[in-house]
Coordinates of all heavy atoms in Angstrom, one line a residue:
G17 N 110.6 100.9 100.3 CA 112.0 100.6 100.3 C 112.8 101.9 100.0 O 114.0 101.8 99.6
L18 N 112.4 103.0 100.4 CA 113.1 104.3 100.3 C 114.0 104.6 101.5 O 113.7 104.0 102.6 CB 112.1 105.5 100.1 CG 111.2 105.4 98.8 CD1 110.3 106.6 98.8 CD2 112.1 105.4 97.5
P19 N 115.0 105.3 101.3 CA 115.9 105.7 102.5 C 115.1 106.5 103.5 O 114.1 107.1 103.2 CB 117.1 106.4 101.9 CG 116.5 107.0 100.6 CD 115.5 106.0 100.1
A20 N 115.7 106.6 104.7 CA 115.1 107.3 105.8 C 114.9 108.8 105.5 O 113.9 109.4 106.0 CB 115.9 107.2 107.1
A21 N 115.8 109.3 104.6 CA 115.7 110.7 104.3 C 114.4 111.0 103.5 O 113.9 112.2 103.5 CB 116.9 111.2 103.4
A22 N 113.8 110.0 102.9 CA 112.5 110.2 102.2 C 111.3 110.5 103.1 O 110.3 111.0 102.7 CB 112.2 109.0 101.3
A23 N 111.5 110.2 104.4 CA 110.5 110.5 105.4 C 110.5 111.9 105.9 O 109.7 112.3 106.8 CB 110.6 109.5 106.5
I24 N 111.4 112.7 105.3 CA 111.5 114.2 105.7 C 111.4 115.0 104.4 O 112.0 114.6 103.3 CB 112.8 114.5 106.4 CG1 112.9 113.6 107.7 CG2 112.9 115.9 106.8 CD1 114.3 113.7 108.4
S25 N 110.7 116.1 104.4 CA 110.5 116.9 103.2 C 111.9 117.5 102.8 O 112.8 117.6 103.6 CB 109.5 118.0 103.5 OG 110.0 118.9 104.5
P26 N 112.0 117.8 101.5 CA 113.3 118.3 101.0 C 114.0 119.4 101.8 O 115.2 119.5 102.0 CB 113.0 118.8 99.6 CG 111.8 117.9 99.2 CD 111.0 117.8 100.5
R27 N 113.2 120.4 102.3 CA 113.7 121.5 103.1 C 113.6 121.3 104.6 O 113.9 122.2 105.4 CB 113.0 122.8 102.7 CG 113.2 123.1 101.2 CD 112.5 124.4 100.8 NE 113.0 125.5 101.5 CZ 112.5 126.8 101.3 NH1 111.5 127.0 100.5 NH2 113.0 127.8 102.0
G28 N 113.1 120.1 105.0 CA 113.1 119.8 106.4 C 112.0 120.4 107.3 O 112.1 120.3 108.5
H29 N 111.0 120.9 106.6 CA 109.9 121.5 107.4 C 108.8 120.5 107.8 O 108.0 120.8 108.7 CB 109.3 122.7 106.6 CG 110.2 123.8 106.3 ND1 110.9 124.5 107.2 CD2 110.6 124.3 105.1 CE1 111.6 125.4 106.6 NE2 111.5 125.3 105.3
Y30 N 108.8 119.4 107.2 CA 107.7 118.4 107.5 C 108.3 117.0 107.6 O 109.3 116.7 107.0 CB 106.7 118.4 106.4 CG 105.9 119.7 106.2 CD1 106.4 120.7 105.4 CD2 104.7 119.9 106.8 CE1 105.7 121.9 105.3 CE2 104.0 121.1 106.7 CZ 104.5 122.1 106.0 OH 103.8 123.3 105.8
T31 N 107.6 116.1 108.4 CA 107.9 114.7 108.4 C 106.8 114.0 107.6 O 105.6 114.5 107.6 CB 108.0 114.2 109.8 OG1 106.8 114.4 110.5 CG2 109.2 114.8 110.6
L32 N 107.0 112.9 107.0 CA 106.0 112.2 106.2 C 105.8 110.8 106.6 O 106.7 110.1 107.1 CB 106.5 112.2 104.7 CG 106.6 113.6 104.1 CD1 108.1 113.9 103.8 CD2 105.7 113.8 102.9
A33 N 104.6 110.3 106.4 CA 104.3 109.0 106.8 C 103.1 108.5 106.0 O 102.2 109.3 105.5 CB 103.9 108.9 108.3
I34 N 103.1 107.2 105.7 CA 101.9 106.5 105.1 C 101.0 106.0 106.2 O 101.4 105.1 106.9 CB 102.4 105.4 104.2 CG1 103.3 105.9 103.0 CG2 101.2 104.7 103.5 CD1 103.9 104.8 102.2
D35 N 99.8 106.6 106.3 CA 98.9 106.3 107.4 C 98.1 105.1 107.1 O 97.8 104.3 108.1 CB 98.0 107.5 107.6 CG 98.7 108.8 107.9 OD1 99.8 108.7 108.6 OD2 98.3 109.8 107.5
A36 N 97.8 104.8 105.9 CA 96.9 103.6 105.6 C 97.2 103.2 104.1 O 97.5 104.1 103.3 CB 95.5 103.9 105.8
A37 N 97.0 102.0 103.8 CA 97.2 101.5 102.5 C 96.4 100.2 102.3 O 96.3 99.4 103.2 CB 98.7 101.3 102.2
S38 N 95.9 100.0 101.1 CA 95.2 98.8 100.7 C 95.3 98.6 99.2 O 96.1 99.3 98.5 CB 93.7 99.0 101.1 OG 93.1 100.0 100.3
A39 N 94.5 97.7 98.7 CA 94.6 97.5 97.2 C 93.9 98.6 96.5 O 94.2 98.8 95.3 CB 93.9 96.1 96.9
S40 N 93.0 99.4 97.1 CA 92.3 100.4 96.4 C 92.7 101.8 96.7 O 92.3 102.8 96.0 CB 90.8 100.3 96.7 OG 90.6 100.5 98.1
G41 N 93.6 102.0 97.6 CA 94.0 103.4 97.9 C 95.0 103.5 99.1 O 95.5 102.5 99.6
Y42 N 95.4 104.7 99.4 CA 96.4 104.9 100.5 C 96.2 106.4 101.0 O 95.5 107.2 100.3 CB 97.8 104.7 100.0 CG 98.2 105.6 98.8 CD1 98.7 106.9 99.0 CD2 97.9 105.2 97.5 CE1 99.0 107.7 97.9 CE2 98.2 106.0 96.4 CZ 98.8 107.2 96.6 OH 99.1 108.1 95.6
T43 N 96.9 106.6 102.1 CA 96.9 108.0 102.7 C 98.3 108.4 103.1 O 98.9 107.6 103.8 CB 95.9 108.1 103.9 OG1 94.6 107.7 103.5 CG2 95.9 109.5 104.5
I44 N 98.7 109.5 102.6 CA 100.1 110.0 103.0 C 99.9 111.4 103.7 O 99.2 112.2 103.2 CB 101.0 110.2 101.7 CG1 101.0 108.9 100.9 CG2 102.4 110.6 102.2 CD1 101.7 109.1 99.6
T45 N 100.6 111.6 104.8 CA 100.4 112.8 105.6 C 101.8 113.4 105.8 O 102.8 112.8 106.1 CB 99.8 112.5 106.9 OG1 98.5 111.9 106.7 CG2 99.6 113.8 107.7
A46 N 101.8 114.8 105.6 CA 103.0 115.6 106.0 C 102.7 116.4 107.2 O 101.7 117.1 107.2 CB 103.4 116.5 104.8
T47 N 103.5 116.2 108.2 CA 103.2 116.9 109.5 C 104.3 117.9 109.8 O 105.5 117.6 109.7 CB 103.1 115.9 110.7 OG1 102.1 114.9 110.4 CG2 102.8 116.6 112.0
A48 N 104.0 119.1 110.2 CA 105.0 120.2 110.4 C 105.9 119.7 111.6 O 105.4 119.2 112.6 CB 104.3 121.5 110.8
V49 N 107.2 120.0 111.4 CA 108.1 119.7 112.5 C 107.9 120.5 113.7 O 107.7 121.7 113.6 CB 109.6 119.9 112.0 CG1 110.6 119.7 113.1 CG2 109.9 119.0 110.8
A50 N 107.8 119.8 114.9 CA 107.6 120.5 116.1 C 108.7 121.6 116.4 O 109.9 121.3 116.2 CB 107.5 119.5 117.3
G51 N 108.3 122.8 116.8 CA 109.2 123.8 117.0 C 109.6 124.6 115.8 O 110.3 125.7 116.0
G52 N 109.3 124.2 114.6 CA 109.6 124.9 113.4 C 108.6 126.0 113.1 O 107.6 126.1 113.8
T53 N 108.9 126.7 112.1 CA 108.0 127.8 111.6 C 106.7 127.3 111.3 O 105.6 127.9 111.6 CB 108.6 128.6 110.5 OG1 109.9 129.1 110.8 CG2 107.8 129.8 110.1
Q54 N 106.6 126.2 110.6 CA 105.3 125.6 110.1 C 104.5 125.1 111.2 O 103.3 124.9 111.0 CB 105.6 124.5 109.1 CG 106.3 125.0 107.8 CD 105.6 126.3 107.2 OE1 106.1 127.4 107.4 NE2 104.5 126.0 106.5

């Protein structure tokens, strides 16, 4: 339930997503923005 801005890193170098989730765990990935330095 977070705002859309939460899906972007504070300085804008990465986008974030929850790839998988269950009762026992989860996976969160930060991907470098295309065309950026990272």
Side-chain angles (χ1 to χ4, degrees):
L18 298 177
I24 302 175
S25 62
R27 298 179 63 184
H29 299 303
Y30 296 86
T31 58
L32 298 115
I34 298 176
D35 301 323
S38 65
S40 60
Y42 60 89
T43 301
I44 309 173
T45 303
T47 304
V49 174
T53 303
Q54 297 308 100

